[in-house]
Amino acid sequence: MKKLYLKSLFNAILSVFICLFFFTVIFIYFTPKKIALCISVTLSLLSGLAIFKHGLEKEKKIFIKNESSKTALKVGTKLCFMKKEAVRNLFYKAFEALNLSPEKKGYNIYLNQSGETCFFIFGFDGLSKTDVVKAFNRLSEKANAVIYCFEAPLPVQEFAKRFKGRIKIQDYLEVYNLLSRANLLVDTSDIDVEFIDQKKAKLSQFLDRKKAVKFLALGGFFMALSLFVPLKLYYLISGSALVIFAVCVMLFVKKQPD
């Protein structure tokens, strides 16, 4: 949790300096320098405090969500290593604990309460369209299917929608929620997985030191251009923002391996 506070504090301090620069540039054109500086400092500190509180709450939510996703991924991975009968028995106990009136049918389970047949297809290759068709062919005329799996690619999910709502797919996140509600989470101490935060992965692509050089050059160009165009303030603020962003990236972002 200490890292969350430090990250939020760093963002707040950085925001204070950036806001101070912008507010000073704006107010110095309309008010005396001392008054402009007082107003700018006050507004910057208030902005920094608001950003710190908002950022901390956001980081806590992301932290909790990522920790749950890591655990869910481990649970899904564990199920991929388990035998079919062991997986079915685990889900049978979970359905019993949730009062869903389960009934074993081979490696599948029929839920008397909802009238759904549950299929368990766990593998690292993910669910396939063929798996969906096989599950559908095993259904009676009016029955519905729930397929529990490790993950299902988007094309497979879209394919399942063609069956007019009779096929429902539950990946490792839904599996984790189900087992968690039933207090039957499997032991994952022997499972080591690498969780990739998609948002952070996209952000790291944007915060690239090589791209920062381009932002720096573009910012310098905007600032130089402000000397020759009527809208000086607009180009000066835009150029300064790009330069500050580029410098921060080059100073604080680690160099990515080639």
Side-chain angles (χ1 to χ4, degrees), residues 162-223:
R162 299 181 185 180
F163 295 88
K164 299 179 180 180
R166 294 184 63 192
I167 302 288
K168 185 164 64 175
I169 298 174
Q170 305 282 281
D171 64 9
Y172 69 88
L173 289 171
E174 283 83 10
V175 168
Y176 168 77
N177 290 332
L178 172 70
L179 297 179
S180 180
R181 285 190 289 120
N183 292 319
L184 285 170
L185 289 175
V186 293
D187 179 24
T188 58
S189 58
D190 57 337
I191 300 295
D192 185 20
V193 297
E194 182 181 357
F195 175 76
I196 300 175
D197 190 332
Q198 297 297 330
K199 290 185 178 179
K200 286 186 177 180
K202 291 179 180 178
L203 183 61
S204 64
Q205 292 178 356
F206 179 70
L207 299 178
D208 188 356
R209 296 182 69 178
K210 293 180 180 178
K211 291 181 181 178
V213 176
K214 297 179 181 178
F215 285 121
L216 183 64
L218 184 61
F221 174 73
F222 270 41
M223 294 177 72

Side-chain angles (χ1 to χ4, degrees), residues 1-12 52 56 59-60:
M1 295 298 290
K2 185 179 179 181
K3 289 183 178 179
L4 302 185
Y5 283 98
L6 291 175
K7 185 176 180 181
S8 300
L9 182 62
F10 170 77
N11 291 335
F52 174 75
L56 186 59
E59 288 298 327
K60 284 181 178 179

Side-chain angles (χ1 to χ4, degrees), residues 1-169:
M1 295 298 290
K2 185 179 179 181
K3 289 183 178 179
L4 302 185
Y5 283 98
L6 291 175
K7 185 176 180 181
S8 300
L9 182 62
F10 170 77
N11 291 335
I13 293 173
L14 184 62
S15 299
V16 168
F17 282 106
I18 293 174
C19 290
L20 182 61
F21 172 79
F22 283 124
F23 288 139
T24 303
V25 170
I26 292 171
F27 287 111
I28 206 166
Y29 279 90
F30 309 106
T31 58
K33 290 184 179 180
K34 290 184 178 180
I35 296 177
L37 186 60
C38 289
I39 295 174
S40 300
V41 170
T42 303
L43 291 177
S44 299
L45 290 175
L46 290 174
S47 300
L49 180 61
I51 290 172
F52 174 75
K53 292 180 68 175
H54 175 73
L56 186 59
E57 291 176 4
K58 185 178 179 181
E59 288 298 327
K60 284 181 178 179
K61 289 180 181 178
I62 293 173
F63 176 78
I64 293 171
K65 183 179 178 181
N66 285 346
E67 286 301 309
S68 297
S69 297
K70 287 179 185 178
T71 306
L73 185 59
K74 286 185 177 182
V75 170
T77 303
K78 180 75 172 185
L79 292 174
C80 290
F81 285 107
M82 292 172 61
K83 294 181 179 180
K84 287 184 178 181
E85 187 175 356
V87 171
R88 182 205 60 184
N89 292 339
L90 175 65
F91 276 88
Y92 183 84
K93 291 179 182 178
F95 292 141
E96 268 192 329
L98 296 173
N99 299 317
L100 297 177
S101 303
E103 180 183 339
K104 294 180 182 178
K105 290 191 174 183
Y107 287 117
N108 308 319
I109 294 176
Y110 179 75
L111 301 179
N112 289 291
Q113 189 182 84
S114 60
E116 296 173 325
T117 300
C118 300
F119 298 87
F120 311 102
I121 306 173
F122 287 91
F124 294 109
D125 293 330
L127 191 70
S128 68
K129 293 180 182 179
T130 302
D131 294 326
V132 173
V133 172
K134 286 181 178 179
F136 180 77
N137 289 336
R138 292 176 187 173
L139 294 175
S140 59
E141 188 175 346
K142 295 183 179 180
N144 295 329
V146 181
I147 302 176
Y148 292 92
C149 61
F150 180 60
E151 60 182 357
L154 186 59
V156 177
Q157 296 179 36
E158 294 297 326
F159 178 74
K161 293 178 181 178
R162 299 181 185 180
F163 295 88
K164 299 179 180 180
R166 294 184 63 192
I167 302 288
K168 185 164 64 175
I169 298 174

